[in-house]
């Protein structure tokens, strides 16, 4: 039995959750188990049930209660753990997002089993249900792949963004069954909770980890007023905007836009870092980008030497020129 922690957004399951369900289906084919999903908090997920059914999910467990009205890693881990125990799941999967990581890390600590983060493939599913599961996972932001033997049960793993393409099941299953339940949460698990959020709609950063195109900006932007060009480029390409740590440390842009070891890890089809040197800590967060187009004044900058393509020049001139050309061609 496989359980998938599904995150939801305004339009249903997030793309990375659907990728995770697709990954779970492939694992189910090798381990002979049905795929169930757990959704925590929110309204009754009727639409989601139909959607997840198309991805091969047999049942959706919806955990509700006051403790789940706001996100808290400890409380949500209790919800996922309660469902896991109820259905006796041998595998628990979550998207490789900050929440997916946090929830499974809590669960792993409680169950005293390891968790494999940022898994991209199941290399060997073992001779039987009790044999070790061998997974391949990204480390150092995708710069290195390592194999990990998971010999204990339950197996806990997060699936790296874009490790697989979200796909409907070949034989559409009937809509998933919906099971409503609640879970007892200890007071200690309610200590750290999200009690207020700032709207981030205007800055396009919510899609940083899932957007197929990301525009990045670093110190080369020159100051807090130097981002107009990259913001416009992101809008023209329907891309997310990400930045280096220098930019967030100087307060030029908010921290949630940071890419890197201490920020978000991205793996878009196209990453366009502008005025970013490509320090190892930044590279750790963008190394698995499929194509990189660097814009930088220094032809020897690490980002330029590692990029697929590079434009050597001042981003204050190059980026507006690209924007003007995109607008010209579209008109
Ligand atoms: C523990 C730790 C964790 C860290 N975590 C992160 C992290 O998560 N993410 C992160 O990004 N960093 C992180 N850092 C910081 C990292 O080491 C670098 O300092 C940082 O990434 C540099 O940011 P930058 O590339 O914007 O600036 P710089 O290194 O100063 O590079 C600026 C680049 O812009 C180019 N440039 C300058 N002017 C222009 C222009 N007009 N047009 C075009 N190009 C121009 C320059 O040639 C240069 O290549 C971390 C550091 C530590 C110690």
């Amino acid at each position: 039995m496989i359980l998938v922690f599904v995150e939801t957004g305004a339009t249903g399951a997030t793309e990375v959750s659907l990728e995770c369900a697709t990954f779970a289906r492939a694992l189910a084919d090798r381990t002979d188990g049905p795929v169930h999903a757990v959704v925590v908090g929110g309204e009754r997920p009727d639409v989601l049930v139909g959607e997840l059914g198309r991805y091969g999910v047999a049942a959706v467990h919806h955990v509700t209660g006051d403790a789940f009205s706001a996100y808290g890693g400890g409380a949500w881990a209790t919800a996922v753990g309660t469902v896991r125990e109820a259905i006796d799941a041998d595998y628990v999967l979550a998207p490789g997002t900050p929440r997916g990581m946090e929830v499974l890390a809590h669960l792993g600590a409680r169950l005293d089993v390891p968790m494999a983060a940022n898994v991209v493939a199941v290399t060997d599913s073992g001779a039987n249900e009790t044999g070790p599961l061998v997974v391949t996972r990204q480390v150092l932001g995708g710069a290195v792949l390592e194999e990990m033997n998971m010999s204990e049960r339950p197996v806990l793993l997060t699936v790296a963004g874009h490790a697989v393409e979200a796909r409907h099941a070949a034989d559409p299953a009937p809509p998933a069954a919906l099971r409503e339940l609640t879970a007892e949460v200890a007071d200690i698990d309610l200590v750290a909770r999200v009690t207020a959020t700032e709207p981030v709609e205007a800055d396009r950063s919510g899609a940083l980890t899932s957007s197929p195109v990301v525009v990045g900006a670093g110190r080369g932007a020159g100051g807090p007023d130097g981002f107009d060009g990259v913001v416009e480029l992101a809008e023209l390409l329907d891309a997310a905007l990400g930045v280096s740590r220098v930019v967030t440390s100087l307060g030029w842009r908010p921290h949630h836009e940071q890419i890197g070891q201490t920020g978000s890890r991205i793996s878009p089809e196209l990453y366009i870092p502008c005025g970013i040197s490509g320090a190892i800590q930044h590279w750790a967060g963008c190394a698995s980008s499929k194509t990189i187009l660097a814009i930088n004044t220094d032809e020897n900058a690490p980002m330029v030497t590692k990029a697929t393509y590079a434009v050597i020049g001042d981003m204050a001139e190059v980026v507006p020129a690209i924007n003007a050309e995109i607008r010209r061609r579209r008109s």
Side-chain angles (χ1 to χ4, degrees):
M1 181 82 83
I2 299 172
L3 181 63
V4 179
F5 169 58
V6 168
E7 292 183 70
T8 56
T11 55
T14 58
E15 185 67 15
V16 279
S17 294
L18 297 176
E19 289 171 10
C20 196
T22 306
F23 191 98
R25 216 172 57 236
L27 179 61
D29 289 343
R30 300 176 71 146
T31 58
D32 199 25
V35 177
H36 285 203
V38 52
V39 178
V40 184
E43 301 291 315
R44 197 182 136 96
D46 291 304
V47 175
L48 196 66
V49 168
E51 184 181 22
L52 289 173
R54 288 189 287 281
Y55 284 84
V57 171
V60 177
H61 305 263
H62 181 213
V63 188
T64 53
D66 291 345
F68 310 113
S69 56
Y71 173 73
W76 285 39
T78 299
V80 174
T82 301
V83 174
R84 188 211 72 79
E85 200 176 336
I87 64 173
D88 197 19
D90 283 322
Y91 306 88
V92 184
L93 277 55
T97 57
R99 284 191 183 186
M101 298 282 195
E102 186 180 22
V103 167
L104 283 209
H106 273 282
L107 195 58
R110 289 173 195 187
L111 297 171
D112 198 22
V113 293
M115 172 194 123
N118 288 318
V119 171
V120 294
V122 171
T123 315
D124 187 349
S125 48
N128 54 50
E129 281 285 299
T130 54
L133 184 83
V134 185
V135 297
T136 304
R137 72 184 198 100
Q138 294 175 344
V139 290
L140 296 176
V144 175
L145 294 177
E146 75 169 20
E147 283 191 357
M148 186 169 166
N149 272 18
M150 315 276 299
S151 49
E152 295 181 58
R153 297 290 187 273
V155 167
L156 307 185
L157 62 88
T158 64
V159 179
H162 307 305
V164 295
E165 193 183 335
R167 282 211 191 111
H168 287 168
D171 302 316
L178 177 61
R179 295 178 188 157
E180 296 277 353
L181 71 152
T182 189
E184 290 287 321
V185 178
D187 289 345
I188 187 78
D189 289 329
L190 296 172
V191 173
R193 298 177 80 205
V194 177
T195 54
T197 53
E198 286 178 31
V200 292
E201 192 185 356
D203 60 27
R204 313 176 65 78
S205 61
L208 195 52
T209 53
S210 60
S211 180
V213 182
V214 175
V215 176
R219 197 199 298 268
D225 300 328
F227 292 84
D228 292 353
V230 286
V231 167
E232 186 185 12
L233 179 58
E235 284 171 359
L236 286 168
L237 298 177
D238 198 20
L241 180 69
V243 299
S244 70
R245 178 155 126 170
V246 164
V247 167
T248 59
S249 300
L250 291 171
W252 295 353
R253 300 289 301 183
H255 178 264
H256 62 253
E257 291 181 355
Q258 184 176 315
I259 294 168
Q261 180 185 324
T262 47
S264 295
R265 291 173 184 222
I266 60 168
S267 45
E269 293 298 318
L270 174 62
Y271 179 41
I272 309 177
C274 309
I276 295 179
S277 60
I280 186 69
Q281 296 90 353
H282 186 87
W283 185 250
C286 67
S288 43
S289 305
K290 310 284 182 303
T291 301
I292 295 179
L293 165 61
I295 298 173
N296 201 301
T297 46
D298 179 4
E299 63 182 322
N300 295 313
M303 185 62 88
V304 172
T305 57
K306 290 174 181 163
T308 328
Y309 307 100
V311 178
I312 306 304
D314 184 343
M315 63 182 279
E317 294 171 10
V318 175
V319 174
I322 294 172
N323 294 346
E325 182 63 14
I326 293 172
R327 283 197 305 274
R328 188 186 69 77
R329 290 191 185 207
R330 286 190 182 160
S331 65

